Amino acid sequence: DLVAGAAAPAAEEKTEFTVTLKGLVDAGKKIAVIKEIRNIVPGLGLKEAKDLVEGAPKVVKEDVSKEEANKIKEALAAAGADVEIA
């Protein structure tokens, strides 16, 4: 049964997480959050980082370890962002 087989992996502990920028805690912190996004996502240009922040909610990084997801969340939260890990 394919349905039962597909449900089995969900019982395992989750190892890959998605970090989502939900928005800014304070609009005055936008520049700091844009800079932090550029640190987290190498190769992202200023315009792309600005678009990501202004277009929140947006996925910042997918399929990262829980440890990396927490580091990203802490860095963005310190810069003034509202972040969710799923």
Side-chain angles (χ1 to χ4, degrees), residues 7-78:
E12 296 176 16
E13 188 174 338
K14 189 171 179 178
T15 57
E16 293 182 338
F17 297 84
T18 298
V19 182
T20 304
L21 174 69
K22 296 187 73 171
L24 297 174
V25 175
D26 175 0
K29 303 279 188 180
K30 182 161 76 171
I31 292 172
V33 174
I34 291 170
K35 286 181 181 178
E36 198 56 52
I37 290 288
R38 290 188 71 200
N39 288 337
I40 292 166
V41 186
L44 198 63
L46 181 59
K47 182 184 182 329
E48 291 83 4
K50 182 176 181 272
D51 290 347
L52 189 148
V53 171
E54 290 176 346
K58 291 274 188 180
V59 171
V60 176
K61 244 183 174 180
E62 292 182 297
D63 303 327
V64 294
S65 68
K66 186 170 189 169
E67 183 180 322
E68 185 178 352
N70 283 326
K71 284 181 183 177
I72 292 168
K73 181 178 181 176
E74 286 176 22
L76 286 172

